[in-house]
Amino acid sequence: FSSVTSVLNMSIFKDQFVLEDLIKELKKKSAALSFGPLQSNGHISVQGSFPAIMLLRDFLLLKAKSLSEKDEREESKSRQRSKKRLQQHGLTTETSNFVRDADGEKQVVVLDTDIYHYVKRFFPRTLLVNGDVVISDITDGDVTTVYIENAGSRSDAGQVLRVKEKIENQSIKLHNTLRKERIYFEGRIRDEKWRYERVCKSLKRYYPSVLITAYDTHIDVIGNPSEVFEFTKEV
């Protein structure tokens, strides 16, 4: 969990910002990240911890959202001017009404899949919500996207935001403390795989805070570094 690398496509901002100045702003806001050189096509590589990368992503999404809202306001003004001209000529026009969620009614958190599974197993209260909030998730390999939405009749954007912050805070704490070891089954027959799984289950009671996940090709062992080390050594 120490470091990940992402390639950002900053070209979408080039019509509104001087990209070099925007990159300087990103570096100032994300001192924990390491930025590569800005390429001519607007791409730039960023390296750092998963939570820091996700904070940068959220910041860029807000930037993009502000541009989108600005375009929508300008488009709305243009439609109003067109409608006024049509009305002056004795014509009427119907406009489509776009229903959008109010800010905060739907929130998204992107987590490392292993950390998400660890939260579900050992910190279920983090994902425990009342009937007014619904949590769903989609896992795509190493990344799990968690959706938090308001399901109640009375909208409470603050409640949805509080659930998001609770999940984010818990994941950041675990990101800084967890370690993963992988026991591979490469070249082993079915009986040997079964024996590994049986040994892991028998040792699990001595390591109650270790998460063990068995796959066809390997077993993942996740927990604090000392317990993971001792567990895998005993296995």
Side-chain angles (χ1 to χ4, degrees), residues 163-180:
V163 173
K164 176 192 177 185
E165 291 174 347
K166 183 169 66 171
I167 295 173
E168 285 180 331
N169 291 337
Q170 184 64 69
S171 69
I172 290 173
K173 288 179 183 176
L174 293 175
H175 184 278
N176 294 329
T177 58
L178 293 182
R179 173 175 176 165
K180 177 169 74 173

Side-chain angles (χ1 to χ4, degrees), residues 122 179-183 185 195-214 218-235:
F122 296 107
R179 173 175 176 165
K180 177 169 74 173
E181 287 288 347
R182 181 163 287 179
I183 302 171
F185 291 151
R195 191 158 62 248
Y196 265 92
E197 292 179 13
R198 188 178 62 179
V199 168
C200 285
K201 287 180 181 178
S202 67
L203 289 174
K204 178 69 176 69
R205 57 181 173 173
Y206 302 109
Y207 300 88
S209 60
V210 169
L211 177 65
I212 303 163
T213 309
H218 62 273
I219 294 175
D220 281 342
V221 183
I222 303 170
N224 72 61
S226 60
E227 287 195 337
V228 166
F229 176 78
E230 290 296 330
F231 183 91
T232 52
K233 187 174 70 172
E234 286 198 48
V235 172

